[in-house]
Amino acid sequence: MTMASAYDFVSNLSPAQICQLFYVLSAAAVLAVAAVPDRAQQLLTQYGARSSKAAVPPAAISGPNDTSQDLRYGDPGCLIRCVSCLTSVGKIPHAWFIHFYILSLACTTFWAAQFITRGTVLQLIVENQCSKRTSSMTLSQVILVWFLMGLQGARRLYEYLAVLRPSSSSMWIIHWFLGNAFYLCTSISIWVEGSGSIRCSGEDCPGIQLPPFKSVIASLVFLIAWLMQYQCHRYLAGLEKYSLPEDGLFRYLVCPHYTCECLLYLSLAVTAAPEGQLYNQTLVCAVLFVSVNLGVTANGTKLWYCERFGNQVQGKWKMIPIVF
């Protein structure tokens, strides 16, 4: 495919399809990382506590002359050296995660202002989306999902400011860029399939009505997952450093806070389903990315727990009961 044909392909996509493409390609990139050898994958994906040398079991931080590690992981080779060199550049504080939630709230505020004032940026996206003649959410659904996404961003920001303990660990800057891109894209995805209702004005267009029953039920599921995730984060914040969480949902799942995150976005996808559809196609693509991204992290978390705590986590699901 030439650059010209690639440009033509992208230019013919609707804003919703561009968001969907971002999620799918990002999920594919995460899966590609998950397919590389274990040692390279650890360098590419681990951050926070698991990236700290103090948190790594002795077998994983043995010296350069320790052959037991090479027997386990295989000869590092050129790939490991290249990945190690690559990830050593652009290390940033893990505390920069807070930028995701600042950006999420800023985007929620920006799009609300654009909606109230019929701003140029919003109208440009709406007109482009409407030109593709796709089905639309109702205006009440648009407002509802806007509110729910803002609620999630506000809670996560509060957690970073008032609940979670400061961390001295670091992460690769690519994680930071990808996280910010996700929240920026999601701030558009939650309303873009409601462009028809946003565009509509005048007596022939319906006003704000009660959202569909399906959206109300999905919103309740969102609020339950929202509360459960907060409880998980508060529990984790109160644990002794590098200890094994075993209370509440952690008795059955290694990463129940990730389970809640997936459920949050899945419920948003149902809440924002256009008329005649079971779910919002753009937000389902967001669910795909969230599930893949957190699934890879949950897998690494269980492996780390197994190395540190042995059989205590063997019977637990990683993230999704029965499935994973």
Side-chain angles (χ1 to χ4, degrees):
M1 179 182 287
T2 65
M3 289 296 294
S5 59
Y7 174 80
D8 290 339
F9 170 75
V10 174
S11 62
N12 287 325
L13 296 176
S14 69
Q17 289 172 328
I18 292 174
C19 292
Q20 293 166 18
L21 183 64
F22 165 77
Y23 292 129
V24 172
L25 291 180
S26 297
V30 173
L31 286 175
V33 168
V36 302
D38 288 347
R39 292 182 68 184
Q41 184 184 141
Q42 288 176 354
L43 290 168
L44 289 167
T45 62
Q46 287 193 358
Y47 55 83
R50 293 184 310 280
S51 67
S52 171
K53 288 184 179 180
V56 180
I61 56 173
S62 51
N65 296 323
D66 189 345
T67 58
S68 63
Q69 194 173 5
D70 287 340
L71 289 173
R72 177 177 176 182
Y73 292 107
D75 181 20
C78 182
L79 173 63
I80 303 300
R81 290 194 294 271
C82 289
V83 172
S84 179
C85 180
L86 180 65
T87 55
S88 66
V89 178
K91 289 287 187 180
I92 59 174
H94 183 263
W96 281 22
F97 254 63
I98 195 174
H99 296 167
F100 301 160
Y101 312 117
I102 293 174
L103 177 63
S104 179
L105 277 179
C107 288
T108 298
T109 304
F110 173 78
W111 292 120
Q114 285 281 302
F115 174 72
I116 293 170
T117 62
R118 302 188 71 83
T120 304
V121 180
L122 178 69
Q123 294 304 314
L124 179 64
I125 297 176
V126 163
E127 293 298 328
N128 195 327
Q129 180 68 22
C130 288
S131 68
K132 308 302 180 181
R133 299 185 180 278
T134 57
S135 57
S136 176
M137 302 151 53
T138 65
L139 196 56
S140 60
Q141 286 176 286
V142 172
I143 294 173
L144 181 57
V145 293
W146 246 330
F147 170 76
L148 293 177
M149 192 64 194
L151 194 64
Q152 173 68 357
R155 198 208 78 228
R156 293 297 282 125
L157 181 59
Y158 165 75
E159 287 175 350
Y160 260 81
L161 292 174
V163 177
L164 302 181
R165 291 179 294 187
S167 172
S168 59
S169 58
S170 63
M171 62 178 173
W172 194 24
I173 196 170
I174 298 300
H175 297 149
W176 182 82
F177 278 122
L178 184 59
N180 280 302
F182 169 79
Y183 281 100
L184 180 61
C185 186
T186 303
S187 76
I188 299 173
S189 300
I190 58 173
W191 60 261
V192 69
E193 291 196 44
S195 294
S197 298
I198 295 173
R199 181 189 189 190
C200 190
S201 62
E203 297 181 356
D204 295 334
C205 295
I208 299 177
Q209 302 172 335
L210 288 176
F213 179 73
K214 177 176 62 178
S215 296
V216 174
I217 297 300
S219 298
L220 292 176
V221 174
F222 177 95
L223 293 174
I224 292 171
W226 183 87
L227 180 60
M228 289 168 59
Q229 189 180 56
Y230 172 72
Q231 292 173 336
C232 289
H233 288 161
R234 194 168 187 85
Y235 170 67
L236 287 173
L239 280 178
E240 182 182 349
K241 198 171 186 180
Y242 307 137
S243 60
L244 178 66
E246 295 184 291
D247 291 344
L249 294 175
F250 288 95
R251 287 178 292 179
Y252 314 105
L253 296 164
V254 173
C255 298
H257 47 313
Y258 291 171
T259 310
C260 294
E261 186 85 359
C262 295
L263 188 56
L264 283 167
Y265 285 101
L266 182 59
S267 58
L268 275 182
V270 177
T271 302
E275 185 178 1
Q277 297 183 21
L278 179 61
Y279 51 79
N280 184 299
Q281 295 180 6
T282 306
L283 287 177
V284 159
C285 291
V287 175
L288 171 68
F289 169 73
V290 169
S291 301
V292 169
N293 187 42
L294 295 182
V296 170
T297 307
N299 183 64
T301 300
K302 183 166 185 179
L303 290 175
W304 185 84
Y305 279 151
C306 287
E307 289 181 337
R308 190 172 181 85
F309 301 106
N311 294 329
Q312 296 182 59
V313 295
Q314 286 296 338
K316 295 183 181 182
W317 300 104
K318 298 171 186 175
M319 189 175 77
I320 304 175
I322 302 175
V323 178
F324 177 70

